[in-house]
Amino acid sequence: MTVLWRDPMGVRMLTGSAGLLLVGAGLYLGGCALLNRVTARSRWGTRATVAQIGLVVVWVAIFCFQAAFVCMVGPGAIQIQNNLLSKPSP
């Protein structure tokens, strides 16, 4: 995990995934606020529940999985790339 902080590519990966996570959180909160505004005058129905679940699924699938992927696979990918670039080709 410390490779992500020391290597320039790791820092770019971390800042990119953190930025997308914040953008996704903003979109999720905006969607929740919009959904709350739309359903404020009427009863909370099945469509609103499905929309809320859809918001959560989209946020997790698009934004949260990328941050987890960077934290889990990023150090290995950086090590592999550094090893490939440091060894001379035969």
Side-chain angles (χ1 to χ4, degrees):
M1 184 75 163
T2 59
V3 174
L4 290 174
W5 296 108
R6 287 191 236 152
D7 194 89
M9 186 172 118
V11 172
R12 281 194 310 265
M13 289 169 67
L14 278 177
T15 55
S17 65
L20 276 177
L21 192 60
L22 290 175
V23 167
L27 289 174
Y28 173 72
L29 291 175
C32 288
L34 181 67
L35 186 62
N36 190 28
R37 186 94 163 142
V38 168
T39 60
R41 294 184 184 96
S42 63
R43 205 172 57 106
W44 187 270
T46 305
R47 282 187 262 163
T49 303
V50 169
Q52 182 71 36
I53 291 170
L55 279 171
V56 171
V57 167
V58 167
W59 181 56
V60 168
I62 294 176
F63 299 105
C64 293
F65 280 159
Q66 182 195 6
F69 183 80
V70 165
C71 290
M72 289 184 196
V73 179
I78 292 170
Q79 289 291 336
I80 290 170
Q81 182 180 12
N82 288 341
N83 286 339
L84 286 174
L85 292 176
S86 66
K87 291 185 180 181
S89 59

